[in-house]
Amino acid sequence: MSPFCCEPSAHGGASMTARRPPRRLGRVDTTLSDPLIGQVLDGRYRVDARIAVGGMATVYRATDMRLERVCALKVMHPGLAVDHVFVARFIREARSAARLAHHNVVGVFDQGTDGGHVYLAMEYVDGCTLRDVLRERGALQPRAALDVLEPALAALGAAHRAGLVHRDVKPENVLIGDDGRVKVADFGLVGAVDGQTSTHTDSLLGTVSYLAPEQIEHGVSDTRTDLYACGVMLYEMLAGAKPHAGGTPAQVLYQHLQTDVPAPSARVPGLAPQLDALVARAAAREPDRRPADAVALLAEVRDVRAALTDGQLDAVPPQATGPAEAGTENLTTVLPRPVDDGRLPPPVERTARFPAPLPGAADEPHADGHGTGRRRGPRRSMLLVTGAVLAVLLGGGVWYINAGQFLRTPSVLSLTEGKARAKLREAGLEVRVRRDHSLTVGRGLVMESDPSPGERVRRNGSVTVVVSRGPEVAKVPDLAGTPLAEARRELKKLGLEPGLVTRRFDEETPLGAVTGTEPAAGTEKHSGSAVRLTVSKGREIEVPDVTGQDVPSARENLREAGLDVRVTGERVFSEQAKGTVAAQSPEAGAGRAEGETVTLTVSKGPDLVAVPDVEDMSRDEARTALEKSGFTVRIRRVFLGDTVFNQTPDPGEKAPRGSEITLWVR
């Protein structure tokens, strides 16, 4: 067993949206009815027990009957399986994690669908999460904190060198197996190294307490984003608390943007200054002040460990509430060492040191001074009795410390607040209530508890239940007359999303200001709903006709009408006089908004062509010759016949190309 592990808890980290802080995953009460338990998915995976429920999926312990091994089966909630966006994210986790063949990454074996069930088959890690350890211990000794951080960085380093960013590093996603091996889970928010996250399209990705400033402010994430979360996590392990706290997620986000992560020695007097510097480096607000990636930070962590004395590594923080980590049991971690060329070699195992064994009772010396291993009869009996009594007392004390003072948290999920209070008080537990919004849990019902159902809690301790307020609702504000940019900001403040923008003419509303919304002002909508905006194009202007006018006159007339003017460099032949406006776009009479542009083309004058002589030709021959020269033809018959005897204009005269030639036929 690892010295860190509490009771075995869920792993697999079902992905969650981060509009509010994600729900902590823990062991779920498997006595609740679950239709999947006992079923076989895809003809291969027998579902044995439910072990965790997240916002996106449920995690089960399952048996792969084909390979005869235990695995974790992560099954997307049926309500989300019909949404292609969630399914795409789910499959992306499988593909991303499958690319990382590393001892410190939770392996993904398979992905598939069975009817309405979308699932991942993953490595089963029997143990607990770092969150469980911190809840049990409060704070860790520096040696223990580094024993967790190093393999986590090794896993992230493998991801970074593969071109991936985790983007959701937090204690809930760091698993500690019963063998002490540390693994990083839940690559559901993984993205490319140069990817960007839009922080306004749906919601902020990642957990609020571990978001880097650039994620919050610009929606940008790269390898250094994961390092910021690791710096916050190291602070939490050393100090026993998160560096930024607040009553609302917005307050925490503001502190990430405006306040540096404090030195952990402020809470842990006497902590080595090298650890303060390590936290400051990893969790620097400016990304350029952090190491390039997890491999680089791992090298710095090892340098710090090498520089610390055993006394500094094993110092017990005052915030520690559980048994001391050092000198209890060994912790095996798999830590690949970075080499000069930046690649990750095969992992190597390192085992935490055992304390020196306590000296046992030595053989009592004989009178001649040599140990014989024998004792006098009566004295030997007395020692045996005394030892037995001490063993019973010690065993009872150990039992009380490890188990007797704890009980399992009753499951109150989906109960009303009143029933949840009664059930917890009946178990002798104090009840604390927090309320939050939920799209999936009905108003007034318990949506989660801390500790989670089935986790250990001290007798007469307290359990915090989160009661659903139902979906978060916001009223659509009255935005009439508000400039478009300001209207968008106002909607986001209320948790609503600016939707499609339609522009219409409006005599009363200034150009660029909102004339109305859909749905209308005062309508209640769920948080995240889109609101369509109608924006004024200003007053409608009828474009005047300026063809045939000289360019200065045309420009003045259009500007007086409230329109802008652009003159092309192209010149064209037209019936308009040379230097005047030959054509305009849009045409005269079209409706345009104030300030829109009208494009003018200037005339080179008519394109004059010599009229061919077609007298004495047949009618058809004359028509063909004239049309070939670019003229149109009009026929007038005087007598019966088919021969041209006169034409207008006369042969040899010049006429504009495209003009009409009249022929008289007899």
Side-chain angles (χ1 to χ4, degrees):
M1 283 288 293
S2 161
F4 287 118
C5 290
C6 314
E7 291 298 312
S9 63
H11 75 285
S15 298
M16 296 166 282
T17 59
R19 187 175 305 284
R20 56 186 62 86
R23 293 159 54 181
R24 181 176 57 76
L25 297 179
R27 183 169 296 277
V28 175
D29 188 348
T30 55
T31 62
L32 296 175
S33 175
D34 190 316
L36 266 184
I37 295 177
Q39 290 193 31
V40 177
L41 291 186
D42 217 3
R44 176 175 182 176
Y45 300 104
R46 187 186 69 232
V47 181
D48 297 327
R50 187 170 70 182
I51 55 177
V53 177
M56 183 177 179
T58 301
V59 182
Y60 299 89
R61 188 180 72 252
T63 300
D64 182 346
M65 297 188 296
R66 185 178 303 169
L67 299 179
E68 296 183 350
R69 68 178 175 186
V70 177
C71 64
L73 208 62
K74 185 173 181 180
V75 182
M76 178 179 286
H77 295 327
L80 300 179
V82 297
D83 189 320
H84 70 279
V85 175
F86 284 95
V87 173
R89 180 187 296 176
F90 201 69
I91 295 173
R92 182 176 67 202
E93 174 182 355
R95 292 175 177 171
S96 300
R99 290 170 56 185
L100 302 177
H102 193 277
H103 282 68
N104 299 117
V105 175
V106 173
V108 172
F109 303 143
D110 190 14
Q111 183 275 321
T113 59
D114 185 348
H117 301 297
V118 181
Y119 68 85
L120 303 181
M122 305 180 300
E123 175 185 4
Y124 180 78
V125 179
D126 196 2
C128 60
T129 69
L130 177 57
R131 173 64 64 210
D132 297 326
V133 172
L134 292 175
R135 186 178 298 107
E136 180 80 9
R137 300 291 179 86
L140 306 182
Q141 294 166 276
R143 186 190 302 277
L146 297 180
D147 281 348
V148 173
L149 182 63
E150 288 184 22
L153 288 173
L156 294 173
H160 292 174
R161 293 302 164 93
L164 300 174
V165 182
H166 190 288
R167 296 196 301 181
D168 195 23
V169 177
K170 56 187 177 182
E172 288 81 354
N173 286 337
V174 177
L175 311 182
I176 304 173
D178 284 348
D179 61 355
R181 181 169 294 171
V182 176
K183 290 179 178 282
V184 176
D186 198 354
F187 280 75
L189 301 183
V190 76
V193 165
D194 59 352
Q196 293 190 1
T197 302
S198 171
T199 59
H200 62 273
T201 301
D202 289 314
S203 60
L204 281 172
L205 296 179
T207 303
V208 172
S209 296
Y210 306 91
L211 287 177
E214 64 268 21
Q215 282 179 289
I216 300 166
E217 190 168 16
H218 305 296
V220 176
S221 59
D222 61 15
T223 55
R224 298 167 299 180
T225 303
D226 287 346
L227 303 194
Y228 183 90
C230 288
V232 174
M233 201 163 63
L234 177 58
Y235 176 95
E236 190 174 354
M237 287 190 285
L238 294 171
K242 296 173 183 175
H244 299 314
T248 65
Q251 292 173 342
V252 176
L253 293 176
Y254 179 81
Q255 290 182 67
H256 279 295
L257 292 172
Q258 302 297 327
T259 308
D260 290 331
V261 171
S265 61
R267 286 179 55 90
V268 186
L271 192 69
Q274 294 94 324
L275 295 171
D276 283 344
L278 187 61
V279 170
R281 178 114 164 94
R285 278 190 290 160
E286 297 79 13
D288 291 341
R289 291 174 51 202
R290 303 174 208 149
D293 59 17
V295 175
L297 180 57
L298 177 58
E300 295 186 19
V301 171
R302 284 176 171 155
D303 289 342
V304 168
R305 179 193 284 268
L308 298 180
T309 65
D310 286 342
Q312 290 173 316
L313 287 169
D314 295 328
V316 179
Q319 291 79 9
T321 58
E325 290 84 1
T328 53
E329 298 177 50
N330 68 313
L331 170 68
T332 302
T333 53
V334 179
L335 304 173
R337 295 185 176 275
V339 291
D340 292 339
D341 62 1
R343 295 181 301 170
L344 292 175
V348 296
E349 290 195 355
R350 179 174 58 75
T351 304
R353 294 179 304 169
F354 287 96
L358 293 175
D363 287 348
E364 291 193 12
H366 239 314
D368 59 3
H370 298 286
T372 64
R374 299 179 181 178
R375 295 179 175 83
R376 304 292 182 182
R379 187 173 182 181
R380 178 182 178 88
S381 300
M382 183 178 298
L383 288 173
L384 289 174
V385 172
T386 302
V389 172
L390 289 175
V392 171
L393 293 176
L394 180 60
V398 170
W399 172 84
Y400 179 77
I401 291 172
N402 291 328
Q405 61 177 326
F406 296 100
L407 55 83
R408 299 288 179 182
T409 304
S411 175
V412 293
L413 302 180
S414 299
L415 297 182
T416 63
E417 179 182 344
K419 290 182 178 179
R421 286 180 181 273
K423 188 172 182 178
L424 291 171
R425 285 173 178 165
E426 184 179 346
L429 298 169
E430 180 185 347
V431 183
R432 297 176 182 174
V433 176
R434 183 165 60 83
R435 303 181 190 279
D436 203 352
H437 295 282
S438 172
L439 292 173
T440 57
V441 180
R443 181 182 179 88
L445 301 180
V446 175
M447 53 194 287
E448 62 179 288
S449 67
D450 184 10
S452 296
E455 288 191 354
R456 295 201 307 176
V457 61
R458 293 183 186 278
R459 297 182 185 275
N460 301 319
S462 64
V463 174
T464 300
V465 295
V466 182
V467 178
S468 171
R469 291 178 173 172
E472 190 171 1
V473 174
K475 283 188 177 181
V476 178
D478 184 358
L479 299 173
T482 305
L484 177 59
E486 185 179 336
R488 283 173 167 158
R489 287 194 295 269
E490 184 65 26
L491 289 172
K492 289 181 181 179
K493 285 181 184 177
L494 297 173
L496 300 170
E497 289 294 329
L500 182 67
V501 175
T502 304
R503 299 181 185 273
R504 295 177 182 169
F505 293 110
D506 192 298
E507 299 285 341
E508 306 296 330
T509 308
L511 176 67
V514 175
T515 63
T517 58
E518 184 183 341
T523 304
E524 291 189 344
K525 298 292 290 182
H526 291 168
S527 179
S529 298
V531 176
R532 300 179 63 174
L533 299 171
T534 304
V535 177
S536 171
K537 294 169 65 175
R539 64 186 180 92
E540 184 176 13
I541 298 172
E542 184 177 329
V543 178
D545 186 359
V546 295
T547 55
Q549 298 180 11
D550 59 78
V551 173
S553 298
R555 191 190 302 272
E556 183 178 356
N557 290 336
L558 289 170
R559 286 180 174 170
E560 285 182 355
L563 300 168
D564 199 3
V565 180
R566 174 179 170 268
V567 179
T568 66
E570 182 184 8
R571 299 291 188 270
V572 297
F573 290 110
S574 78
E575 62 182 12
Q576 306 299 334
K578 183 178 181 180
T580 63
V581 176
Q584 65 182 72
S585 178
E587 296 179 350
R592 287 295 182 269
E594 185 175 358
E596 287 195 40
T597 299
V598 176
T599 302
L600 304 180
T601 304
V602 180
S603 173
K604 294 197 298 185
D607 182 12
L608 298 178
V609 180
V611 178
D613 184 359
V614 296
E615 292 183 8
D616 296 328
M617 292 184 181
S618 70
R619 179 185 60 182
D620 291 341
E621 289 174 338
R623 182 191 297 276
T624 300
L626 290 170
E627 288 179 347
K628 187 175 181 179
S629 296
F631 297 106
T632 62
V633 180
R634 182 181 180 189
I635 305 293
R636 290 196 173 185
R637 300 177 69 90
V638 178
F639 301 106
L640 293 176
D642 194 39
T643 303
V644 177
F645 71 91
N646 194 13
Q647 66 183 74
T648 303
D650 292 332
E653 289 187 17
K654 288 190 174 182
R657 187 185 300 275
S659 61
E660 185 179 80
I661 306 297
T662 302
L663 302 178
W664 279 266
V665 179
R666 64 181 177 184

